[in-house]
Amino acid sequence: MALLKTLCSIDCIKGFQFSNSPLNHTTYQFFFLFLLIVWDIAIDWDIATDYTLFCYCVLCLIGFGYWLNFDMKRPKLDTASAPVAPQDVELEESDDIDVVEIDVKIEGEEEDVKMERERWSEVWKFFTRLPISKDGRERAECNQCKKRYICETRTGTGSMRKHITKCPKRDKTDISQFIFSKPGGSFSINSTGFKPERFRELLSEAIVKHDLPFKFVEYEGIREIFQYLNEKVITITRNTAKDDVLNLFKREKLKLKNLFELLPGRISLTADLWSSINTDGFLCVTSHFIDMEWKLQKRVLSFQYMPPPHNGICLTETISSILSDWGIDKKLFTITLDNASSNDTFVNLLKGQLCNEGALRSDGDYFHVRCCAHVLNLVVQDGLKAIDEGIVKVRESIKYVKGSQVRKTNFMNAVKQVNLIPKKGLRQDVPTRWNATFLMIESAIFYRRAFFRLALMDSNYLDCPSNEEWGKLEKIFRFLEVFYEVTCIFSGNKYCTSNLYFPSVSTVERTLREEIKSSDKFMKNMAGQMYAKFSKYWSEYSPILAMVAVLDPRYKMQYVEFTYKKLYGSNFREHSDSVREKLHDLFSEYVTRLPYKTSTISTSDSCKSVNKKNDTMLSKSTREMLQEFTVYETKEFALSQKSQLEIYLDEPRSDITEDINVLSFWKAHQYRYPELASMARDILSIPVSTVASESAFSNGGRVLDKFRSSLAHKNVEAIICAKDWLFGISGDEELCLQDLTEDIMELDSKGSDTNEAME
C-alpha cells in the first residue's frame, strides 16, 4: 500500500506529462488525485476489498485507454493553417489567452509540429511576438518603442498592458491605441501621460502670445477648467507665472545667441524710441539677417527701458551694452535710424568705437542708413503745408456726416440714390499721417456724387467742394499715389526692401521733376516744396543701396546707368561710375577677408615631408623671398583673371518684368559666386525703414495698456521679445494703414442695425 501511495503521489502526478491529450495537464492531475483520495478513504474505513481494488484498476485502465485512443486516431496537423477562435466567447479585460503547444510525433518525420492557438488579448494589437531566445524565454516587442517584455504563460500580459498607456512613441492620432473595453461593457479613453513641466511651458507661451495678465492663472473659472481636464494639474500663482515667462525668455534668448554664432553673414539693425502710456521711454533694437537657408529673418533684440536724457551719448552707451550682451558687435553691417538730431551724434560715436576695433566694412562708410519711410513722410508733409482749400472742405464734410446719426442716415440715402456701393467706406484722416489723408481723399472722390446729392437734401451742409476743387483733388490724389505705393513697399518686413530702394526713389524723384514743370501753379508750388526736402536727404542716393540694385539680376548696372541718364542727362557717367567703383572696392574687401580657394592641389605625405626637408636647407632670408614671390604670383594671376563680380555683370540680365525672388537667385548661385554671394547676403538684409521697431511698439501698446501700466520693465521686455521670437507678428497685428482711419460707413451701418433692433 505504501508503494501505491508513492507511485500516485502529487509529485509524481506533476512530473507526468500528457502533451498529446485532448484535456490539459491540470485536468489529469485532478483525475488521479481524486482516485487516490477515494482509495485512501476506503483503506481508512476498512472497506477496501478485492472488489473496490478491481474498480479502482478499471477506472485507471479506462482513463489510459481514452488517452491512447485519442493519440492513435488523431490526424496529421497542417502548420500553415491557424485555428479559428470561437465566436461565442466574450473576452474580458483580464482574459489573456496564451499559447498551448502540442508536440505530435508523426511517422516518417523527425521534427515535432507545433500548433498555436490565436492570441485573443488586446495587447497583441500593440506587441509582436519574438522567436524564443537562447535562454529559452519567450518575449514580445512593442511595435512603437521596441521595448521587450517576457510573455510566457505564467507571467501574463499585465506588464505589457501597462506599457501601452505609457509608451513614449505611441501614435496619439490612432484612437484604437487608447480605447480599451472594461468588464462592465463600457469604454474608457486613456489619454497620454500628463507632464506638469510641459503644461506650465504651454501656459507661459499662451500668456505671451495673447498678451494675458499674469493673474490669468488665478482666475477661478480657468482653474476649474484645468481641474476638469486633468485632476493632476497643480494650480500656480501669478508670481510663479511671471517666473515661468522670465525663464521662457532666458531659454529663447540663449537659442538666439547660438543662432547668431552660426550665422554665415552679417547683421543689420534698426533702432527707435517709444513712449508708453505712462510716459516711460523704451528703446527697441531689432536685428535683420539672412540665415543659412537664405531666408530673411527679423528678431527683436531688446525692448529696454531708456531713462532720460535721450541724447547721443546715452544712446551709444545703451546700444553698446546691448551689442556686447548679444556678442554681435563684430558682426554688424548697418543700422537704420530715423532723422532725429540725436541719432547723428549717436551714429558717429558708435561708428568710431566699432571702427577702432576693426568691426565694420569699408571703415563704416555704409554704416548709417536713413529710414526711407520717414524721409518720404517729411517730403510729403512739406507739400501738404501748401494744402488746397478742397482738402479742407473734404475733411469738414466728413466731420459733418459723422456729427449725428440723422446726418449719417441722410448720407446713406444719398449714396443709394446715386447708385454707389456703401461698402467702399468713407474714411476720416489722422492729421499726423499723410497716408491717412491720401486714403481720405481716395474715399471722398469715390463718393463725390453722394456729397452733391447731400448738399441738395440738407440745407445745413455748406462744405461741399465745387467741381473745380474736385478736379484739383483728383490731381493731388494721382500725384500722392506714387508716394503711397513707395511707402507701402518700404514698410514691408517680410521681404527684402533694399533692392527696391533705387528703382522706388528714382521714380519719386522723376515724378517730382515732372510736376515742377507742370502748368498748374498749385501743383508746381507743392512739388517744388517737396523736391527741396527731397534734395536735403537724397541729393545723392545711398551708395550701398544703389549697389543692391546691381545685385538684382533684373537690374544690374544697365538699369542704374539708365536711371541716372534719365535724371541727370549727359552727366550720368559721373554718378554711375561712382557706384561701379564703390561696388568693386567693397567686393575686393570681401575677397581679401573671405578668401575662397577655387582649386586645391592634393599631395601625398611623402611629398610634404620632402618639401619640409628642402625648406630646412634654405636660409631664412631665402624662404621669406620665396613667400613674397608666392604672394606676387597669386595677385598677378588674380589680376589676369575675371573676378566673380565681372563675370556676373557681363552675363545678360533677367527680364525686367519677371517675378524673381532675389534671395532664391543667390541661393542657387552661391557656389558659383561664393565671395559675391557673401556680399549679397549682407547688403540684401539691410532694412530701408524702421517699421519693424514700430511693429514692436504696437505690441508694446497692448502689453502696457491702461490696466497694466505699472508692469515691471523687465517683464515688459520678456513678454515682447519672447512673443517676437516664438510667434513673430501675426498678420492681424501688422501695421495696416486702413486701420489708422475711421470708416464712417461702418459706423453708420452699426448704428442703423442698433436702431432697427431697438425698434
Side-chain angles (χ1 to χ4, degrees):
M1 186 60 62
L3 179 60
L4 180 60
K5 289 185 179 181
T6 301
L7 292 175
C8 297
S9 65
I10 297 177
D11 292 335
C12 292
I13 293 173
K14 289 183 179 179
F16 196 73
Q17 300 295 327
F18 297 92
S19 59
N20 292 339
S21 176
L23 303 177
N24 56 30
H25 186 176
T26 306
T27 305
Y28 274 100
Q29 287 183 0
F30 281 106
F31 177 76
F32 284 104
L33 182 61
F34 171 77
L35 296 180
L36 178 62
I37 293 173
V38 171
W39 181 251
D40 285 342
I41 293 174
I43 293 177
D44 293 339
W45 290 357
D46 295 330
I47 59 174
T49 61
D50 293 339
Y51 177 77
T52 56
L53 179 62
F54 173 77
C55 293
Y56 183 87
C57 294
V58 169
L59 290 175
C60 291
L61 290 176
I62 291 174
F64 180 78
Y66 182 82
W67 165 75
L68 184 62
N69 182 58
F70 173 82
D71 181 56
M72 297 180 62
K73 293 184 178 181
R74 182 179 178 183
K76 294 183 178 181
L77 298 177
D78 186 6
T79 58
S81 61
V84 180
Q87 300 297 323
D88 56 346
V89 178
E90 295 184 359
L91 295 180
E92 304 294 338
E93 184 179 17
S94 59
D95 290 341
D96 294 329
I97 307 302
D98 287 313
V99 179
V100 177
E101 298 181 354
I102 305 174
D103 298 335
V104 181
K105 190 73 175 180
I106 303 176
E107 295 182 2
E109 296 184 5
E110 298 180 357
E111 297 182 357
D112 294 340
V113 181
K114 294 183 179 180
M115 180 183 67
E116 297 184 2
R117 293 184 181 179
E118 183 179 2
R119 296 172 181 262
W120 298 335
S121 177
E122 292 285 342
V123 299
W124 297 113
K125 295 180 181 179
F126 314 104
F127 282 85
T128 301
R129 181 190 174 194
L130 299 176
I132 298 177
S133 57
K134 295 181 180 180
D135 59 357
R137 308 297 296 271
E138 185 178 1
R139 291 176 173 84
E141 183 181 71
C142 177
N143 297 333
Q144 300 296 331
C145 66
K146 307 303 180 184
K147 189 173 182 179
R148 298 182 178 184
Y149 290 90
I150 296 176
C151 61
E152 295 176 345
T153 303
R154 61 181 180 179
T155 60
T157 58
S159 57
M160 292 187 289
R161 184 178 297 277
K162 293 178 181 178
H163 172 78
I164 293 174
T165 59
K166 299 179 180 180
C167 180
K169 294 187 177 181
R170 188 180 66 185
D171 186 5
K172 301 176 181 59
T173 60
D174 187 2
I175 192 69
S176 64
Q177 292 193 1
F178 51 88
I179 293 184
F180 295 96
S181 59
K182 284 191 171 182
S186 60
F187 293 90
S188 66
I189 299 180
N190 296 332
S191 60
T192 57
F194 174 75
K195 298 179 180 179
E197 298 81 6
R198 180 56 181 163
F199 168 75
R200 288 176 59 176
E201 183 179 349
L202 290 174
L203 193 59
S204 303
E205 293 178 0
I207 292 174
V208 169
K209 184 176 183 180
H210 302 289
D211 303 320
L212 299 173
F214 293 133
K215 65 178 181 180
F216 165 80
V217 298
E218 297 180 351
Y219 291 165
E220 183 179 354
I222 296 298
R223 289 188 171 185
E224 290 177 356
I225 292 176
F226 291 160
Q227 291 294 327
Y228 172 76
L229 294 176
N230 196 310
E231 297 179 354
K232 298 180 181 179
V233 172
I234 300 176
T235 57
I236 59 177
T237 62
R238 68 182 71 185
N239 291 328
T240 305
K242 179 194 67 176
D243 294 337
D244 290 345
V245 170
L246 292 176
N247 292 331
L248 177 65
F249 165 74
K250 293 177 182 178
R251 290 196 303 270
E252 295 301 322
K253 184 176 182 178
L254 182 60
K255 292 179 183 178
L256 189 55
K257 281 186 176 180
N258 297 333
L259 175 63
F260 285 152
E261 292 179 359
L262 301 177
L263 277 183
R266 289 183 170 258
I267 300 171
S268 295
L269 301 179
T270 58
D272 204 352
L273 288 168
W274 173 70
S275 295
S276 65
I277 191 173
N278 55 2
T279 68
D280 287 343
F282 286 87
L283 173 66
C284 179
V285 180
T286 309
S287 63
H288 304 260
F289 56 91
I290 296 175
D291 61 12
M292 300 286 291
E293 299 297 326
W294 286 85
K295 302 292 185 182
L296 182 64
Q297 302 290 344
K298 174 193 71 69
R299 298 290 187 275
V300 175
L301 298 183
S302 175
F303 199 88
Q304 185 172 324
Y305 171 67
M306 182 74 182
H310 299 161
N311 53 34
I313 298 176
C314 295
L315 286 172
T316 304
E317 294 176 354
T318 303
I319 293 185
S320 296
S321 63
I322 293 173
L323 298 179
S324 300
D325 179 39
W326 283 93
I328 59 174
D329 47 346
K330 299 296 177 59
K331 304 190 71 173
L332 290 186
F333 191 63
T334 64
I335 183 169
T336 304
L337 303 167
D338 59 20
N339 295 292
S341 58
S342 59
N343 287 337
D344 294 334
T345 305
F346 151 67
V347 167
N348 292 331
L349 292 174
L350 183 61
K351 183 171 70 173
Q353 178 181 335
L354 295 175
C355 286
N356 292 335
E357 301 174 358
L360 295 179
R361 296 286 191 193
S362 302
D363 295 329
D365 291 341
Y366 314 122
F367 181 61
H368 184 202
V369 177
R370 296 187 183 274
C371 175
C372 296
H374 190 259
V375 173
L376 276 179
N377 183 64
L378 295 177
V379 170
V380 179
Q381 289 290 0
D382 268 23
L384 292 179
K385 289 179 181 178
I387 197 167
D388 186 66
E389 185 67 22
I391 298 180
V392 176
K393 288 186 176 182
V394 167
R395 184 176 292 125
E396 293 300 324
S397 297
I398 297 177
K399 288 182 180 179
Y400 179 82
V401 172
K402 182 185 176 183
S404 67
Q405 188 63 36
V406 176
R407 295 173 185 175
K408 294 177 187 177
T409 304
N410 292 337
F411 184 76
M412 285 295 295
N413 294 332
V415 169
K416 295 177 181 179
Q417 290 177 13
V418 295
N419 297 324
L420 292 177
I421 303 173
K423 293 183 180 180
K424 176 69 176 178
L426 182 62
R427 299 188 176 274
Q428 185 176 8
D429 67 338
V430 180
T432 57
R433 291 180 176 269
W434 73 267
N435 39 28
T437 304
F438 170 81
L439 295 174
M440 180 191 70
I441 296 174
E442 181 186 23
S443 62
I445 291 175
F446 180 81
Y447 290 109
R448 175 173 53 183
R449 290 186 296 155
F451 281 111
F452 281 127
R453 176 66 65 176
L454 181 63
L456 297 175
M457 295 170 55
D458 189 350
S459 59
N460 294 323
Y461 173 50
L462 304 175
D463 294 318
C464 181
S466 62
N467 288 327
E468 182 181 356
E469 290 171 337
W470 282 114
K472 287 184 178 181
L473 287 173
E474 290 181 347
K475 290 182 181 180
I476 295 174
F477 171 75
R478 288 194 296 267
F479 176 64
L480 295 180
E481 189 174 12
V482 176
F483 296 86
Y484 179 78
E485 292 175 352
V486 172
T487 301
C488 292
I489 292 173
F490 287 163
S491 300
N493 57 11
K494 294 184 178 180
Y495 56 85
C496 289
T497 55
S498 54
N499 62 314
L500 304 175
Y501 163 85
F502 190 82
S504 300
V505 175
S506 61
T507 302
V508 170
E509 183 175 5
R510 189 167 63 250
T511 302
L512 289 173
R513 290 192 171 202
E514 292 175 355
E515 207 61 43
I516 290 175
K517 301 175 184 179
S518 174
S519 58
D520 191 325
K521 292 183 180 181
F522 169 76
M523 297 302 300
K524 183 177 181 178
N525 183 32
M526 182 178 179
Q529 294 184 15
M530 294 172 67
Y531 189 72
K533 182 68 71 173
F534 179 91
S535 301
K536 178 181 178 180
Y537 295 104
W538 285 336
S539 58
E540 292 185 2
Y541 290 7
S542 172
I544 189 65
L545 296 180
M547 296 178 199
V548 188
V550 179
L551 295 181
D552 192 320
R554 297 167 294 182
Y555 302 142
K556 295 192 175 182
M557 279 302 303
Q558 292 92 321
Y559 182 79
V560 175
E561 293 177 353
F562 165 79
T563 303
Y564 280 136
K565 190 173 183 179
K566 278 280 189 182
L567 296 174
Y568 307 113
S570 58
N571 298 327
F572 77 96
R573 285 292 179 187
E574 179 183 354
H575 300 275
S576 61
D577 290 345
S578 176
V579 174
R580 186 187 295 272
E581 181 181 356
K582 292 179 179 179
L583 179 64
H584 279 80
D585 291 343
L586 182 60
F587 175 72
S588 300
E589 189 174 350
Y590 275 85
V591 174
T592 303
R593 296 194 181 185
L594 297 174
Y596 181 81
K597 298 180 180 179
T598 55
S599 61
T600 56
I601 302 175
S602 60
T603 57
S604 62
D605 294 339
S606 60
C607 292
K608 292 181 180 179
S609 62
V610 171
N611 292 337
K612 290 182 180 179
K613 187 179 294 185
N614 291 335
D615 289 343
T616 57
M617 298 174 63
L618 299 175
S619 64
K620 181 178 180 181
S621 59
T622 304
R623 290 198 300 269
E624 291 178 354
M625 184 180 65
L626 291 177
Q627 290 177 357
E628 292 179 2
F629 168 72
T630 303
V631 174
Y632 167 78
E633 184 185 24
T634 303
K635 290 183 178 179
E636 289 296 323
F637 177 77
L639 291 174
S640 63
Q641 300 292 325
K642 278 189 174 183
S643 65
Q644 298 173 15
L645 178 59
E646 291 172 341
I647 294 174
Y648 165 76
L649 294 177
D650 290 343
E651 291 182 347
R653 62 177 182 82
S654 303
D655 187 3
I656 196 71
T657 60
E658 187 176 355
D659 186 12
I660 293 179
N661 186 333
V662 66
L663 293 181
S664 299
F665 173 85
W666 284 108
K667 180 181 179 181
H669 293 79
Q670 61 179 322
Y671 301 109
R672 185 181 181 190
Y673 310 115
E675 289 100 348
L676 189 60
S678 178
M679 185 176 73
R681 184 195 296 271
D682 291 343
I683 63 179
L684 284 172
S685 65
I686 300 174
V688 298
S689 70
T690 58
V691 171
S693 298
E694 293 183 9
S695 300
F697 296 153
S698 177
N699 188 24
R702 289 187 292 271
V703 174
L704 280 176
D705 55 13
K706 61 182 180 180
F707 301 105
R708 292 194 296 172
S709 58
S710 60
L711 196 63
H713 298 146
K714 66 176 182 179
N715 297 337
V716 175
E717 182 179 21
I719 293 173
I720 293 177
C721 291
K723 183 176 183 179
D724 179 78
W725 300 340
L726 290 171
F727 311 106
I729 297 179
S730 304
D732 57 344
E733 297 177 357
E734 291 185 349
L735 293 179
C736 182
L737 296 176
Q738 281 77 6
D739 294 340
L740 299 175
T741 57
E742 188 176 19
D743 189 354
I744 304 301
M745 310 299 287
E746 291 183 358
L747 293 175
D748 177 77
S749 61
K750 292 179 182 178
S752 300
D753 294 341
T754 305
N755 292 336
E756 291 177 2
M758 293 177 62
E759 293 176 359

